[in-house]
Amino acid sequence: MQRVRAAVMSRPGSIGVKEFPFPELEPRAALVRMVMSGICGTDKHTFEGLTHHAGFQVNFPIIPGHENLSIIEKLGRKEDGWFDGNGVPLKQGDRVAPVPDVRCGECYTCKNFYGWSWCDRISAYGGQLSSRDPPHLFGGWAEYMYLLPKTSLFKVPDGLPDKIAVLTEPMSVAYSSLARALTPYWLVKEGSGPGDSIVIQGSGPIGLTHAAIAKMAGAGKVIMIGDPNERLEVAKQVGVDQTVSIEKYSTPQERVGRVLELTEGRGAELVIECVGSPTAFKEGLEMVSLGGTYLEVGNYVDAGEVSVNPHQILSKCIRIIGVNGNPYQAFGRVLTMMDLNWKHYNLDKLVTHSYNIDSAESALRTTQSLKGIKVVVTPS
Amino acid sequence: MQRVRAAVMSRPGSIGVKEFPFPELEPRAALVRMVMSGICGTDKHTFEGLTHHAGFQVNFPIIPGHENLSIIEKLGRKEDGWFDGNGVPLKQGDRVAPVPDVRCGECYTCKNFYGWSWCDRISAYGGQLSSRDPPHLFGGWAEYMYLLPKTSLFKVPDGLPDKIAVLTEPMSVAYSSLARALTPYWLVKEGSGPGDSIVIQGSGPIGLTHAAIAKMAGAGKVIMIGDPNERLEVAKQVGVDQTVSIEKYSTPQERVGRVLELTEGRGAELVIECVGSPTAFKEGLEMVSLGGTYLEVGNYVDAGEVSVNPHQILSKCIRIIGVNGNPYQAFGRVLTMMDLNWKHYNLDKLVTHSYNIDSAESALRTTQSLKGIKVVVTPS
Amino acid sequence: MQRVRAAVMSRPGSIGVKEFPFPELEPRAALVRMVMSGICGTDKHTFEGLTHHAGFQVNFPIIPGHENLSIIEKLGRKEDGWFDGNGVPLKQGDRVAPVPDVRCGECYTCKNFYGWSWCDRISAYGGQLSSRDPPHLFGGWAEYMYLLPKTSLFKVPDGLPDKIAVLTEPMSVAYSSLARALTPYWLVKEGSGPGDSIVIQGSGPIGLTHAAIAKMAGAGKVIMIGDPNERLEVAKQVGVDQTVSIEKYSTPQERVGRVLELTEGRGAELVIECVGSPTAFKEGLEMVSLGGTYLEVGNYVDAGEVSVNPHQILSKCIRIIGVNGNPYQAFGRVLTMMDLNWKHYNLDKLVTHSYNIDSAESALRTTQSLKGIKVVVTPS
Amino acid sequence: MQRVRAAVMSRPGSIGVKEFPFPELEPRAALVRMVMSGICGTDKHTFEGLTHHAGFQVNFPIIPGHENLSIIEKLGRKEDGWFDGNGVPLKQGDRVAPVPDVRCGECYTCKNFYGWSWCDRISAYGGQLSSRDPPHLFGGWAEYMYLLPKTSLFKVPDGLPDKIAVLTEPMSVAYSSLARALTPYWLVKEGSGPGDSIVIQGSGPIGLTHAAIAKMAGAGKVIMIGDPNERLEVAKQVGVDQTVSIEKYSTPQERVGRVLELTEGRGAELVIECVGSPTAFKEGLEMVSLGGTYLEVGNYVDAGEVSVNPHQILSKCIRIIGVNGNPYQAFGRVLTMMDLNWKHYNLDKLVTHSYNIDSAESALRTTQSLKGIKVVVTPS
């Protein structure tokens, strides 16, 4: 009888391949064959022992992998038919991106917070659902993945290369994040609109997806603060207008000063924290213009407190927006936007390394090294 | 020759009446005869030595008073005519509320930040303009006040009592503040809309004006945290649904617990800081619901830092909005809203004490004592 | 064996009681015992032969009734539990308002148009689902009603009288309608915000629910145009500030002139069409202020064309918003708002007549006569 | 003494060069030397006798020209200094785009409708101000233009070619127009956001500027309906994804059918009327998707009525937004966006013909012929 191979992280620091029984499908569930799965900064944090995430605690043992690209292998019985998150009919063999958060659809949060991934009884692949519980295959670093009823799937446009399609989840993080900041205003300079300056703190994959979506959505000058220089070079290819190297500008004062220089002394209308450290939060507030917006995206894992001055927030009329959540609708919109724009923004430069599940530990080590940008894991 | 009497604060802690020459009017300037002027928490702070305000430093000596109600005594020459901020023609004898911030109209901030009181070269009555500089009469605790060209005036509706009309400025602070929070959503629970719960931290005049405007604008359950009980009683009359006494709930944990109890365990969709201490900021963040909004209104004077956790802001998708500014348009809208609603919301309970300029120090001491609510100063 | 009595409209103009078998419950379905059901203008139109509604064609024979108040009799098997639209657990005996539109949850429209009642495969009680198809009980003019899986229910607050709770659906129509117009702006006068003037064309139940929600949500002066005077008297009790009687102002010119008089010559920031005739649409556009909004709510049934001038729409920068849909979330919010405010707005004046199902035709005739306001139908 | 030459339209159909005295500058006024001035569709309409524009009647004789690019020749006395609309200091020799509408700044409309060009006492160059009145030079088809006090000027970025900079006004029309439609939503499909489909009716300069701004601001698939094919070819270069030739699709039914084909049967989330005929308005409404938006931009000149069905607007929940106005802020933002993006969107293809003022009639005839795209007029 067929067995399914998967990389299992049994505790921080320990990962290796295990075999699981080939699953039976309950009604409304689906089985997908993995094409590839990206490594998120959160996977790295989990491996390093930071297991308190926004919304849940990691339930070891787990099969990591929530940035998934896959092929439909089998669809469970569903009397009202199978459709993707845009209402498009689904069938075996379709290439799909599954949404990693499964919402119950019945709780207060599901009923009222449309379009976000929040749920009072959330199930999430790649960390929150444990591989201890049958049918086990709840992460993308595997040959197959089992999708619970109520999982949203999105069909990938035919011409979109796998290397781009695997970015759907991190791109939709950026989309959901910018949705909250770029919305309000075109004329009254409170908030940020087309043509405004944006600072992105951090040049990792999440910083880069924010840069790409921001440019696709009409941002003006995009300034990225980060390192190493190799990443900043790629940043320019995905549309970043100006880079600020941490190697060169090595103190907060220098970086704040450089941003002010690049924004006529005013700061940027939008600053996005994609570093994930409390001190970046404090530093970033200094870079926001009068009436500007600050998006807190990076501190997805609890890394402690930092002191801030409420008077500063008041004086500059800053808006700080916490961003947790990655709604299924973003998947559909991001696939459309990548399909239209991926060549112009060179999105094929983002996936730089690929490992199979037997080398999952090496894959994680590569992520830690800051070599390259997005590392992916394939089933074989 | 006629002299003008005014209360002058020459430095923190020192206030007394001085006389000034009756002013000549330059073109486009106006002279108004004072009816009364409210004491703001900021005036008290200035008297106590906290002189670093949001946007400027107090320029001693000053004539305090920026919450002003007055009668037009004389209008300077203006070829294109005199109109109030709603475009209504103005004439001698009209009862008006002058807007305390004078914007240059030419700078980057004036040109782009419509409707806020920000300006790169701001002139502000009652603290920023010094009584050392002629024509001296730049505050409302005086017999007359001199209004520079470009000052906005708003005609007061005829039936509105002086005791209500003098609240125009603090009510417009509340209006401008809530404008930023109550705007976005009616159906998607991110932000706050009609029927949502609101917590107000602080039961001083600014807390109370926020409560009144919130109720007039469709708030659901309004919960006010404060003391003494006398103020909480008035709070109920202006529309507060539930009060949380600091005397009874004396620790942050108890107050946060009480708010959760009153909001089905979720926290309030909107929490408004009207206390003015950094620790209130930290405490208030605990009271915000998932996806809720936090308005930072109270720390208008720099009272230092407090430590917060960016991961908490992210996890709960909180929006923090700094509120500095009190745009002239708010005056017009607030006058309309008070005129329609003042009886229903018992706004006549807010002004509790009145002193003339010779007793300005007693007036300030009364404010410090937390006796009563709004204290006003009259010319005689 | 128990039979269920219901009023059946077999074709326009013909209605009478029929009996149906007591239904078996499929999984996820529910049975509710009717308390009362309001008559909507659409029911009257259907009775008169106007059967082309926004979104569907009436499928005769039908059991009318989509404004329903009921008691849970029995809940079908549902492994993940029963919750109301706010996530509150449900049980037998709970008093509930069921949402009349049942969305499939899978189509493009369901997936993307959150919070509206649209669906590519909609099922709607009281007109779109036929009583020919088992289990037949798809309308509220009956002893029991059968609720299909995916129907949203809302628990009614304990203290809210039946006569108010039965208004949940028409109040939520008004809420959903105003949600689209009152949202955007507080300071920039484009759109409409707290304190702005609103004209409501029509003094029927939908006009009156719009008035009540508008006042609860912070409207300024509300002007209602309608007749007869008896309705205009009730209008004042639910918060209307000014009435314009069609008997007195009998031509469009006179009515437009009167509205301009009442709005300082500018027209109203928001005009809401609650009459349901194409000529009202044309007339109402004349009443909108520069940059104002026009809500088209009344022409729910197709009553033909009317000629308009696009140049007029452009010159005045009018926003016209078509309103079709009544999302389930509105039910929850409206129940909260009615619970807080029904006494202050005298909502108990709205239900003026009650008939049992045997007298359904008389109930419809009363609606046609314009006597009273809201007519309800009870099971016995 | 120096004389100033200008093209004067004395009545519809009659245009020729006249000479005017070189003007003296009153305080706060400015004199600019013309570089070039674009011909707007409105100029053509005026020449053809359609003289009732949105907001005013043409006051013959006039010097046409409101799409102006110029050099500052002399600045009148202004005690508080000269700044452009972004607060940047101005001096002689600066290349500037003057805003064609001069607002009084004091009336109800100026005080409340921020960012639009509306004013109760508007003065507008190129049509509303007559050349009969001294100092006469109130249009751009001249050697010099006289700018009244309160005219807003915008400094042009150094690297931007004249041929692009002269498009500032029509680009800002598009910006102001899209500002009203692209604002609201990123996730809830009501309104239109990044990645959504847009139909533009009309391939003239205004249609093309809308296409360019829409793409710069994150539009998805942009479909343009128009002719001749030469214009549709340029359309592709400025970013249009799909063209629908009127020559090929010659009936409304065919065009509506083609749009539905290109939008998966749903219609476009945003349809923009840039044709200027009432029948285009009716046709365009058929192309709007459920919950989509319709911008009425083209009927700037009164061309009569057309019949529409309010039930259709309601059923599809269409938003119709009339667009009149071109606020000064849009100039600043458009200059920034053109500076960043003009090469990528080939904006240098838009100006196709240039005539001097002595050939103004030929210039107008070229515009009427639909040859080329944007025609400009130069002083010599």
Side-chain angles (χ1 to χ4, degrees), chain B residues 318-332:
Chain B
I318 297 175
R319 293 173 188 239
I320 300 170
I321 305 178
V323 180
N324 172 14
N326 187 8
Y328 73 83
Q329 293 89 334
F331 275 62

Side-chain angles (χ1 to χ4, degrees), chain D residues 155-172:
Chain D
K155 203 166 175 318
V156 175
D158 285 341
L160 202 63
D162 288 346
K163 270 181 86 161
I164 311 293
V166 76
L167 299 170
T168 303
E169 201 271 350
M171 289 293 278
S172 82

Side-chain angles (χ1 to χ4, degrees), chain A residues 161-172:
Chain A
D162 288 346
K163 270 180 86 162
I164 312 294
V166 76
L167 299 170
T168 304
E169 200 271 351
M171 288 293 277
S172 82

